[in-house]
Amino acid sequence: MELHDRPSWAHLAHFQFVETTLREGEQFATAHFTSEQRLTIARALDEFGVEYLELTSPAASPQSAHDLATIAGMGLRTKILTHIRTHMQDARLAVESGAQGVNMLFATSEQLRRVSHGRTLDEIIEQAQDVVSYLQQHDVEIRFSCEDSFRTPIEDLIRIYTAMDSMGIARVGLADTVGIATPRQITEVVSVVRQAVGCDIEFHGHNDSGCTIANAFCALEAGATHIDVSVLGIGERNGITPLGGFIARLASLDPQLVSRYRLDMLPYLDELISDLVGVPIPFNNYITGTAAFTHKAGLHTKAVLADPTSYEVLDPAMFGKNRTVAIAHRLTGWHAIAERARELGITLSETQARAATARLKALADEQALDVDDIDELLYEYAE
Ligand code: HCA
Ligand code: CU
C-alpha cells in the first residue's frame, strides 16, 4: 500500500455483535429491568439488527428464567443466548428455557481460580466436557470463555481453548474481565489464539482503564469474529464496550462496515437505556452525546460550512442527528454569522458580516450570549 492510499477495512465486515445489555448490562449498578422492559429492550435491539442477544442466566432468579423463555420464544431474528456457569445444573435450565445458545464461562486466572473454585486446568476441561456433551445432545450453540483471560498465562489459555475447540464448540471467548488489557496485548493474544483454534472467537472487554473500544477493535483486527457490547456500555463497574462507540469506531473508517444495522435507532437506544437506568447520556458520548456534532471555533465552522468532512469523520445524518454550528460566542467567525443571516433571510455584504461579527465578539467578551441575541443584532444590520 502506498502511504497516500486510504486503507481498506472491508476485511473487518464479517464480525457479529453479541449484545449483552440484558446480561452484562443488568450488572450495572442502577440497572433493574422489569419483564416488560426486558422485552422492550430485546425488541429494539432485534430491530436495530444485532446478531445475538445475551441474557441473564436462568439460574439467577425465577423471573430471569421466565423472561429468558419468553424472549427465546418471540421468534426474533437475533439469536438468543444465555450466560451460564460451566455447570450441568445451569446447562439444564438453559436447555429448558429454549435459548438457542449458551455463553458459558469458567474462571481461569490464578487470582480468580483461588477465590472462586480452586480447580486445576484438567479439572476445568473435564467438567466442561460433560456440560458440552449434554448441550450438544440438545443442539445448543456453545461458546466457552475463560474469565479473566488476560491475567491467565497464555499456555493455559491455549491448552483450554484447543481442548474446547476439539470438542466441536462454536466459539471460544476471551474476556478482559477486569479491564486491564492493552490494545497491543489484545492483538498479540487474539492472534495466538486465532492460530491455535479453528472455531470462532468472541471478545468481551471491560473499560476500567479506558481501552475498551480500542481493545475490541484490535481483537477484531486480530481475528475475533464476535464482539460483546451493551447500550451505553453499561455493565459491572464502569462497564464494557459501548454499542454506539464501537459503531463510531467502525463507521468512521468505512460506513459499509455497519450499514447492515438500523443506525438511525442508536439515539433511541441510548435514550431508552439512559432513562431505564436513570443515568444521563454523557456529554462526550459517541454519536449521541449533546456535543458530539457541535462545531464552535471560527476556523472549524468556516470549514464545516464549506465541507462537513473537514472536521467530521461521522456523518450525523447516518444516525438521524444534525450538526450544530455554535455561533453565540467570542470564538465565532464571520462565515458562520453570514450563514446564520442567510438562514434568517437577511442578505449581508462581506463588510457587513465582518462588522456584525466584530460587534458580536465585543459583546460576547462582556456577557454570555444566545442565538436570539445574535439574531437581534443581525436584524439591526438588515434595516
Ligand atoms: C463477569 C463475567 C464476564 C463474562 C464475560 C464472558 C467477564 O461478570 O465477571 O462470558 O466472556 O467480564 O468476565 O462478564
Ligand atoms: Cu463482563
Side-chain angles (χ1 to χ4, degrees), residues 23-24 27 54 83 105 143 145 147-148 175-177 204 206 228 236:
R23 194 285 293 176
E24 178 75 55
Q27 295 174 223
E54 183 183 75
H83 190 257
L105 87 161
R143 185 222 64 179
S145 185
E147 192 182 7
D148 209 3
D176 182 17
T177 306
H204 176 100
H206 279 261
D228 287 17
E236 197 76 39

Side-chain angles (χ1 to χ4, degrees), residues 119-317:
R119 287 188 180 67
T120 64
L121 293 190
D122 285 335
E123 285 165 344
I124 293 175
I125 294 169
E126 206 175 302
Q127 182 166 333
Q129 173 74 72
D130 292 343
V131 179
V132 166
S133 307
Y134 169 77
L135 290 168
Q136 282 170 336
Q137 282 158 28
H138 290 86
D139 233 5
V140 172
E141 183 175 310
I142 304 165
R143 185 222 64 179
F144 177 90
S145 185
C146 289
E147 192 182 7
D148 209 3
S149 311
F150 296 88
R151 290 193 302 176
T152 304
I154 185 85
E155 324 72 81
D156 293 359
L157 283 182
I158 298 299
R159 185 148 145 235
I160 298 181
Y161 289 147
T162 50
M164 300 307 298
D165 186 33
S166 60
M167 291 178 206
I169 66 169
R171 299 186 295 290
V172 291
L174 287 117
D176 182 17
T177 306
V178 295
I180 194 175
T182 66
R184 184 176 303 193
Q185 186 186 5
I186 300 283
T187 302
E188 286 168 7
V189 174
V190 175
S191 303
V192 171
V193 174
R194 182 65 288 165
Q195 294 295 314
V197 299
C199 62
D200 283 344
I201 298 175
E202 182 170 326
F203 174 76
H204 176 100
H206 279 261
N207 200 28
D208 300 71
S209 53
C211 283
T212 186
I213 296 175
N215 285 350
F217 182 74
C218 287
L220 176 58
E221 276 195 309
T225 51
H226 293 66
I227 303 293
D228 287 17
V229 291
S230 68
V231 176
L232 292 175
I234 60 167
E236 197 76 39
R237 304 184 307 282
N238 80 337
I240 63 162
T241 313
L243 170 66
F246 197 66
I247 293 268
R249 173 64 289 172
L250 294 180
S252 62
L253 300 172
D254 180 357
Q256 285 301 320
L257 295 175
V258 290
S259 58
R260 60 185 185 272
Y261 302 109
R262 278 280 311 275
L263 300 179
D264 60 323
M265 286 184 69
L266 256 183
Y268 164 74
L269 285 169
D270 281 0
E271 276 157 30
L272 174 70
I273 297 304
S274 146
D275 279 354
L276 294 181
V277 301
V279 171
I281 297 175
F283 76 89
N284 58 351
N285 199 45
Y286 323 93
I287 301 163
T288 59
T290 47
F293 297 109
T294 299
H295 303 279
K296 184 169 174 186
L299 276 176
H300 288 234
T301 54
K302 177 186 175 199
V304 163
L305 288 170
D307 174 3
T309 65
S310 55
Y311 283 100
E312 270 174 6
V313 294
L314 296 166
D315 177 3

